[in-house]
Amino acid sequence: MSQPLTLFFWLAVLGAFLVNAWFLGADLLAWARSGVARGKLAAAALLAAAFACGQLFFSGVSPRGGYDNEHDFQYLGAEFFKPAPAGSAFYGKEVSPLVLDGIGDAVSGYSLAAVPARNKLLIFLAAVLLFACLRRCGLGLSAAFFGFAVFYFNFLSALNGNTFSTTPGNMFYLCSALYAAAAFDDGSRGPAGLAWALCAIFLVVAGRYELAVLPGLLLLVSLARPGGALKGLL
């Protein structure tokens, strides 16, 4: 990839990340300000309890590499936030997870021991976004919590949460894209909502492109049948 194309791709990934973070933060703030405060506190307490239980569940799995090759070492040594955005960060296909890695490294002071802790948090946040997506699609609390539990409390989540790989970051992007597509269908319509969904899906493509099929299909369904097509499917 030539230097101008590399710079354009770097800026596109960073811009998509900022757009996605902005809309997720705006939705979180809107949720916190709406409804009954007691219900919000109860939901937050329930999620905190689920996170605590998850840490006990995940503690039974030893930290490991995610692949039987040099993949983890390659990405552990790559940096997204570099003065000249070229080189090792773009040798592999998974670029967008390096943004999360870079933020985590800055917060932890490049601590290797902090990588599994960060990945376990990303798995939890992905489960929360999946829960929010199911609620946006019209499912009740019980069904949405069941989806959260199936995703979060399973061996693969524990396995991937205790790795040095980019899988948790990819799962976070996947669930954020699913949520963005559901939010677009639920009411965040117009250019802004569509831009958010497209940016979220682009982050998935820039990580593991094969995971972009499901959020892409959800967005296409919503575009084809405006006005709650996803709720109609469920």
Side-chain angles (χ1 to χ4, degrees):
M1 186 183 294
S2 65
Q3 187 68 22
L5 285 178
T6 300
L7 179 60
F8 176 78
F9 182 56
W10 186 88
L11 291 172
V13 171
L14 182 59
F17 179 85
L18 293 175
V19 169
N20 190 48
W22 172 272
F23 278 99
L24 288 177
D27 268 25
L28 178 61
L29 185 61
W31 174 82
R33 290 178 173 176
S34 65
V36 182
R38 182 179 297 177
K40 307 300 178 185
L41 291 174
L46 184 60
L47 289 175
F51 179 73
C53 292
Q55 300 316 294
L56 294 175
F57 177 67
F58 288 6
S59 65
V61 180
S62 300
R64 66 178 190 94
Y67 299 88
D68 294 326
N69 53 33
E70 77 286 354
H71 178 276
D72 300 325
F73 297 101
Q74 173 191 357
Y75 281 95
L76 282 172
E79 294 185 38
F80 184 85
F81 299 101
K82 300 175 66 176
S88 61
F90 298 93
Y91 288 158
K93 69 175 182 178
E94 300 183 33
V95 177
S96 55
L98 295 178
V99 181
L100 296 169
D101 287 355
I103 295 173
D105 288 339
V107 172
S108 67
Y110 292 87
S111 169
L112 188 63
V115 175
R118 179 182 73 228
N119 283 342
K120 284 185 280 189
L121 178 61
L122 287 173
I123 290 290
F124 173 74
L125 293 177
V128 172
L129 285 170
L130 178 62
F131 167 80
C133 171
L134 295 175
R135 290 288 290 155
R136 284 274 195 173
C137 290
L139 270 66
L141 278 173
S142 299
F145 271 121
F146 178 77
F148 169 91
V150 169
F151 178 89
Y152 188 54
F153 293 104
N154 71 76
F155 179 69
L156 287 178
S157 291
L159 203 64
N160 287 306
N162 280 286
T163 65
F164 292 91
S165 73
T166 52
T167 302
N170 286 317
M171 290 297 98
F172 174 80
Y173 285 136
L174 171 61
C175 290
S176 67
L178 291 172
Y179 176 75
F184 176 74
D185 182 76
D186 185 50
S188 299
R189 297 208 158 268
L194 180 59
W196 174 24
L198 291 175
C199 285
I201 293 173
F202 174 71
L203 289 172
V204 180
V205 173
R208 295 295 294 266
Y209 51 80
E210 63 270 25
L211 299 178
V213 175
L214 182 56
L217 288 176
L218 294 183
L219 183 60
L220 286 176
V221 169
S222 181
L223 288 170
R225 295 184 56 191
L230 298 182
K231 288 185 177 181
L233 289 177
L234 298 175

